Amino acid sequence: MTSPSVLKLRHIFDMSPEEERLLDGIAARKVELPKGADFVVQGESDEAAYVMLAGWALRHRQLADGRRQILNFLLPGDWAGLTTILFSTADHSVTAVTPVVVAPVSHADMTGLFRDHSRLALAIYWTAAQEEAVVAEHLVDVGRRNAYERLGHLFFETVLRLEAVSQAGDDGTFDFPLNQTALADALGLSHVHVNRTLKRLRREGLVEIEGRKARVLDRNKLEQAVHFESTYLHLGGEPAWLRRRFARSARPGNQG
Amino acid sequence: MTSPSVLKLRHIFDMSPEEERLLDGIAARKVELPKGADFVVQGESDEAAYVMLAGWALRHRQLADGRRQILNFLLPGDWAGLTTILFSTADHSVTAVTPVVVAPVSHADMTGLFRDHSRLALAIYWTAAQEEAVVAEHLVDVGRRNAYERLGHLFFETVLRLEAVSQAGDDGTFDFPLNQTALADALGLSHVHVNRTLKRLRREGLVEIEGRKARVLDRNKLEQAVHFESTYLHLGGEPAWLRRRFARSARPGNQG
DNA sequence: CGTCGGGTTGATTTACCTCAAGCAACGTGG
DNA sequence: CCACGTTGCTTGAGGTAAATCAACCCGACG
């Protein structure tokens, strides 16, 4: 089965069979981590990056007085700890929300990848850039949208991201393992207010939440209600001229 | 005179004379843009990246109904539009706050740089990663800090960043060309509330604002008042083992 | 000399927060 | 298999940080 990291990159990137094999090879070194495991720890220096293969994780920063802010959520196909190769100490933690399957990539392997497979390096850089764009949108959420829009926006974003890696059902159903406290810490709200706002979203027939599953009921209505603008996800399938640029950037020596 | 882009990277990176010359060479192609100029436009596809050499710019996202969120501020030594090489349309705009001096770098030159000077490419990637870390901290600000902390935090961050490129005076004075509306859009507040909170910061003797200049009066007091934690800036001077890693990642063919 | 961008201030409203409690589902251990 | 702590969800009451609305002031500038 093709790994989610391959699935995700196919959206923007014509990968050669060899490149796909290489990525799948990385993904083959599966490690299972229990729910709650921290695989990057704020303030510490870490020794590897990780590709998410299954499950949910979150990136968050902790303040000294206990307040915390969740930066974003990591879904299958996302990378964690890419910056550990650049910074001496991590400025955030990455924690498993559910049991997760990851593939660790040592720094040595990373630099090798960057050296010998510059197209894949560019693809990984693309992933990091997309993540940055998602975090920026969360900043827009928290800075300029109200609680109702923030929550709706997060649901909409999540469906789109999960669909990009074939992890959402046809009927709009998807795994949603976040509790209301996590939502609060992600959206800059209190869990009480999250609760009341979720109630409203349910009452208005926009989303449905049952246990650890969620479902977007009326896509168009939700999109309009929260003024969703999907450009920042860059999942629209990039135009040919851009795909060509990726190709051009290949160095001689990488298989043709 | 060494360009700010070189100054900034020296903090984390042992650059060879040739690499410094190359960066300074990029910086030699100066272009002046007037205050208010958009050099990256949300929704459009752009043809170059830019190194900031002088002046202030800001990155922001605009919502359809007019609300906007400023993501971060670009100071001398920062890069703008790095992702235009990866995405078909920009998800944000970059606008000059003051008249700015930039050096445009075409996509062709960028890919050449990545191909032939992988250490410099890594340094530029470092810059992008640091910017991501700053945006993430702004998310923490807006999500989990009150107006007073947000403003104080921004002042503190700004001094540190300006000092890293030798653009702040010894007495804590620095150029600060943002009006209160810009502060509001950056911090997720109304300009009225920004005004009142600034008054409080002044009254308490933490900062001084005169025209387009600002000054941090009591560094320690401000740091404590807003619980500033500087790790996310990664400006502490990276330890030797990390600098060595950058060196190791050099490919044969790059000088020395 | 009018207009415009920017700062300041007051009065009022509101979208959230905090505190507090109750309840259901669940695992754990005795 | 019952007592229990725990975790997560829900609801109410009351409080507050910050928004909104509305002036007014000032200096710059054409």
Side-chain angles (χ1 to χ4, degrees):
Chain A
M1 221 196 54
T2 48
S3 69
S5 55
V6 169
L7 287 179
K8 182 170 180 183
L9 291 177
R10 275 191 189 154
H11 284 266
I12 46 110
F13 197 72
D14 294 318
M15 286 189 292
S16 69
E18 197 216 313
E19 286 167 331
E20 295 206 346
R21 236 177 297 126
L22 194 77
L23 264 181
D24 278 333
I26 287 173
R29 271 172 290 165
K30 291 182 173 49
V31 173
E32 268 204 67
L33 297 173
K35 170 174 161 173
D38 291 313
F39 42 117
V40 174
V41 178
Q42 184 173 345
E44 300 190 359
S45 71
D46 259 285
E47 56 318 302
Y50 302 87
V51 197
M52 295 277 302
L53 299 173
W56 280 55
L58 53 81
R59 271 184 350 122
H60 65 289
R61 270 189 202 169
Q62 193 89 31
L63 302 186
D65 59 8
R67 288 179 287 184
R68 73 162 186 166
Q69 175 67 41
I70 293 173
L71 305 175
N72 61 341
F73 299 102
L74 302 180
L75 307 179
D78 291 331
W79 288 71
L82 272 181
T83 56
T84 57
I85 206 170
L86 296 167
F87 299 144
S88 59
T89 57
D91 54 34
H92 63 268
S93 300
V94 181
T95 307
V97 177
T98 63
V100 298
V101 182
V102 297
V105 185
S106 72
H107 285 167
D109 285 358
M110 285 291 296
T111 50
L113 196 86
F114 271 78
R115 192 179 52 240
D116 303 329
H117 298 271
S118 68
R119 289 185 72 224
L120 276 184
L122 198 63
I124 291 170
Y125 182 43
W126 183 93
T127 307
Q130 191 221 23
E131 185 181 30
E132 208 267 359
V134 168
V135 173
E137 189 69 15
H138 290 168
L139 177 53
V140 177
D141 275 337
V142 174
R144 285 291 177 237
R145 286 194 252 252
N146 61 32
Y148 180 76
E149 293 171 312
R150 284 181 220 180
L151 269 162
H153 195 276
L154 179 64
F155 281 109
F156 206 90
E157 174 186 300
T158 304
V159 201
L160 293 187
R161 288 178 61 200
L162 285 172
E163 281 176 349
V165 286
S166 311
Q167 302 257 332
D170 299 330
D171 55 347
T173 314
F174 53 96
D175 278 332
F176 195 76
L178 305 175
N179 63 27
Q180 296 181 355
T181 308
L183 287 172
D185 283 339
L187 301 175
L189 299 167
S190 70
H191 74 275
V192 175
H193 199 60
V194 166
N195 181 286
R196 295 196 228 267
T197 310
L198 277 180
K199 192 163 76 171
R200 185 175 155 211
L201 281 167
R202 273 193 249 108
R203 181 168 17 97
E204 296 182 357
L206 296 178
V207 297
E208 203 176 75
I209 302 164
E210 295 237 6
R212 315 246 76 89
K213 292 259 174 207
R215 184 174 173 196
V216 169
L217 293 170
D218 189 334
R219 203 105 147 189
N220 293 335
K221 209 166 137 196
L222 181 60
E223 188 167 7
Q224 292 182 326
V226 305
H227 315 107
F228 194 88
E229 263 276 7
S230 65
T231 33
Y232 74 95
L233 286 174
H234 302 283
L235 286 175
E238 296 295 8
W241 61 264
L242 188 58
R243 302 178 88 104
R244 243 176 287 127
R245 169 179 306 155
F246 287 142
R248 244 190 290 129
S249 80
R251 296 209 321 285
N254 299 1
Q255 59 67 54
Chain B
M1 221 197 52
T2 47
S3 68
S5 55
V6 169
L7 286 179
K8 182 170 179 182
L9 290 177
R10 276 191 189 154
H11 284 267
I12 47 111
F13 196 72
D14 295 315
M15 286 189 293
S16 70
E18 196 217 314
E19 284 167 334
E20 295 207 348
R21 235 177 297 127
L22 194 77
L23 263 182
D24 277 332
I26 286 174
R29 270 172 290 165
K30 291 183 175 42
V31 173
E32 267 204 68
L33 298 174
K35 170 174 161 172
D38 292 313
F39 43 115
V40 175
V41 178
Q42 182 172 347
E44 301 190 0
S45 71
D46 261 286
E47 56 319 303
Y50 302 87
V51 197
M52 296 278 300
L53 299 173
W56 280 55
L58 53 81
R59 272 183 351 121
H60 65 289
R61 270 189 201 169
Q62 194 88 31
L63 302 187
D65 59 8
R67 289 178 287 183
R68 73 164 185 166
Q69 175 68 41
I70 293 173
L71 305 174
N72 61 338
F73 299 102
L74 301 180
L75 307 178
D78 290 331
W79 288 71
L82 272 180
T83 55
T84 57
I85 206 171
L86 295 167
F87 299 144
S88 60
T89 58
D91 53 36
H92 63 269
S93 300
V94 181
T95 307
V97 177
T98 64
V100 298
V101 182
V102 298
V105 185
S106 72
H107 286 168
D109 285 357
M110 285 291 296
T111 50
L113 196 85
F114 270 80
R115 190 179 54 239
D116 303 329
H117 298 272
S118 70
R119 289 186 72 224
L120 277 183
L122 198 63
I124 291 170
Y125 181 43
W126 184 92
T127 308
Q130 192 221 22
E131 186 181 30
E132 207 267 359
V134 168
V135 172
E137 189 69 15
H138 290 168
L139 177 53
V140 177
D141 274 337
V142 173
R144 284 293 177 237
R145 285 194 252 252
N146 61 31
Y148 179 76
E149 294 171 311
R150 283 180 221 181
L151 269 163
H153 196 275
L154 179 64
F155 281 109
F156 205 91
E157 174 184 300
T158 304
V159 202
L160 294 186
R161 287 178 60 199
L162 285 173
E163 283 176 347
V165 287
S166 312
Q167 302 258 334
D170 299 331
D171 56 347
T173 315
F174 53 96
D175 278 332
F176 195 77
L178 305 175
N179 62 28
Q180 297 181 356
T181 309
L183 286 173
D185 283 339
L187 301 176
L189 300 167
S190 69
H191 72 276
V192 175
H193 198 60
V194 166
N195 182 287
R196 295 195 228 270
T197 310
L198 277 180
K199 192 162 78 171
R200 186 176 155 208
L201 280 167
R202 275 195 246 106
R203 179 165 23 92
E204 296 183 358
L206 296 178
V207 298
E208 203 176 75
I209 302 165
E210 295 237 3
R212 315 246 79 88
K213 292 260 174 205
R215 184 176 173 194
V216 169
L217 292 169
D218 189 334
R219 202 105 148 191
N220 293 334
K221 210 165 134 197
L222 181 59
E223 187 167 7
Q224 292 182 325
V226 306
H227 314 107
F228 194 88
E229 263 276 8
S230 65
T231 34
Y232 74 97
L233 286 173
H234 301 285
L235 287 175
E238 297 294 10
W241 62 263
L242 189 57
R243 302 178 88 102
R244 241 176 289 127
R245 169 180 307 154
F246 287 142
R248 244 189 289 127
S249 80
R251 295 209 322 283
N254 298 0
Q255 61 64 53

